[in-house]
């Protein structure tokens, strides 16, 4: 079964602003990471998965093509693996094109070097965004207790919302492990589900559009969003927050 490793929000050259927004919303972010591939990141860590803010240095001296060419906002779905070679072969056997396993790292001062091996589906294989698979060679440098506690009480990523993408296409990857879901919407149904805030998401399909996050403090997220100057709507069973600068909606539920 496919186990979620992390979701990715592409901040391109605006990682500083993304960092500030998520801190204002009450998330704990890991210190800024510098990948050997040239990208920079922050992770928002939950139990055994995380939300990654990925970008490039603002000075523009380093360009990682897959980030520059990918849409701003939510654009990455990453599954956990233990055997990159086996994953690569299984994808190929399923008729999917993938890049061979690639190992890279980022320093985690003063603890050591976090190392990863990934297998990536080539662009266009899955509608909506980038899909890849990640093996953690040093999980103890990512999933640390001091980064799992958030002042807003958030504790899990529940759902990724896609517009105009085929559920059948994603079914080719395998079954999802319990605890995380993909929600497939037409644009019309997405607009109906998310109401007025749906207009904050750019009209393009297929695409990744929103992320559902679990927290017992979901009601308080409206006040946090307002303090950060973000559009938000409080409803009976959820709070919706738009990140217009990053073309993404966040849905907070219990």
């Amino acid at each position: 079964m496919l186990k979620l490793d992390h979701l990715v929000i592409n901040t391109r050259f605006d990682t500083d602003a993304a960092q500030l927004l998520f801190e204002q919303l009450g998330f704990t972010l890991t210190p800024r990471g510098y990948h050997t591939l040239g990208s920079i990141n922050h992770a928002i860590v939950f139990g055994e998965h995380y939300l990654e803010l990925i970008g490039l240095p603002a000075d523009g001296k380093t360009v990682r093509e897959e980030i520059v060419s990918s849409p701003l906002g939510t654009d990455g779905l990453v599954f956990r693996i233990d055997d990159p070679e086996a994953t690569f072969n299984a994808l190929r056997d399923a008729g999917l094109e993938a890049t061979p396993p690639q190992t890279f790292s980022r320093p985690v001062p003063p603890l050591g070097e976090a190392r990863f091996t990934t297998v990536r589906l080539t662009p266009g294989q899955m509608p909506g965004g980038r899909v890849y698979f990640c093996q953690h060679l040093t999980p103890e440098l990512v999933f640390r207790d001091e980064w799992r506690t958030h002042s807003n009480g958030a504790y899990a990523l529940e759902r990724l919302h896609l517009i105009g993408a085929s559920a059948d296409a994603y079914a080719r990857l395998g079954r999802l492990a319990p605890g995380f879901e993909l929600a497939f919407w037409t644009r019309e149904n997405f607009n109906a589900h998310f109401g007025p805030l749906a207009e904050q998401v750019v009209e393009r399909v297929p695409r990744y559009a929103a992320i559902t996050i679990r927290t017992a403090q979901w009601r308080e997220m409206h006040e946090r969003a307002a303090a950060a100057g973000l559009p938000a709507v409080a409803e009976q069973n959820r709070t919706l927050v738009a990140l217009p600068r990053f073309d993404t909606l966040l849905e907070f539920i219990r």
Side-chain angles (χ1 to χ4, degrees):
M1 300 184 78
L2 296 170
K3 182 178 180 181
L4 178 68
D5 187 75
H6 63 282
L7 298 178
V8 182
I9 293 180
N10 184 2
T11 69
R12 289 194 184 146
F13 298 100
D14 213 5
T15 306
D16 289 347
Q19 176 186 1
L20 177 61
L21 280 181
F22 278 88
E23 288 176 341
Q24 289 175 317
L25 288 173
F27 291 99
T28 298
L29 276 64
T30 60
R32 181 158 299 181
Y34 296 84
H35 295 132
T36 53
L37 298 176
S39 47
I40 60 178
N41 83 331
H42 292 279
I44 300 170
V45 184
F46 303 106
E48 295 301 324
H49 60 253
Y50 58 98
L51 177 62
E52 180 181 27
L53 309 179
I54 197 164
L56 294 166
D59 60 16
K61 292 181 179 179
T62 301
V63 175
R64 183 175 164 189
E65 183 56 37
E66 67 176 303
I67 293 175
V68 173
S69 62
S70 294
L72 187 71
T74 307
D75 87 314
L77 170 60
V78 188
F79 296 109
R80 179 81 54 86
I81 57 172
D82 296 318
D83 189 334
E85 286 290 347
T87 298
F88 174 71
N89 291 331
L91 292 170
R92 186 171 54 183
D93 291 345
L96 296 166
E97 296 181 9
T99 60
Q102 178 185 40
T103 297
F104 63 98
S105 65
R106 60 175 173 84
V108 185
L111 302 173
E113 192 91 1
R115 299 174 59 245
F116 316 87
T117 299
T118 58
V119 176
R120 303 171 186 272
L121 289 181
T122 56
Q125 292 291 290
M126 289 292 123
R130 297 183 297 139
V131 175
Y132 57 102
F133 304 81
C134 180
Q135 178 190 31
H136 287 265
L137 303 176
T138 54
E140 70 279 4
L141 299 184
V142 176
F143 298 98
R144 300 184 63 81
D145 289 342
E146 63 263 35
W147 297 329
R148 284 181 166 125
T149 301
H150 307 278
S151 63
N152 63 14
Y155 63 90
L157 300 174
E158 172 74 12
R159 190 173 296 115
L160 173 65
H161 299 263
L162 303 84
I163 302 176
S166 165
D168 290 341
Y170 282 82
R172 296 176 65 191
L173 298 174
R175 293 176 57 199
L176 295 180
F180 176 74
E181 301 173 348
L182 299 176
F184 297 91
W185 303 96
T186 64
R187 182 74 209 203
E188 181 181 10
N189 289 340
F190 180 86
N191 291 350
H193 182 75
F194 286 101
L197 286 193
E199 67 184 23
Q200 300 287 341
V201 173
V202 172
E203 292 268 1
R204 59 176 173 81
V205 293
R207 61 162 299 164
Y208 298 169
I211 297 170
T212 301
I213 301 173
R214 286 195 174 274
T215 170
Q217 298 179 31
W218 60 272
R219 293 182 181 88
E220 288 86 343
M221 295 308 300
H222 186 271
E223 295 179 6
R224 290 182 182 272
L230 297 171
V233 174
E235 298 182 351
Q236 183 175 359
N237 296 310
R238 65 179 182 172
T239 295
L240 301 176
V241 177
L243 306 179
R245 193 165 181 171
F246 299 102
D247 193 20
T248 291
L249 293 185
L250 302 178
E251 178 185 48
F252 295 93
I253 64 172
R254 175 181 292 277

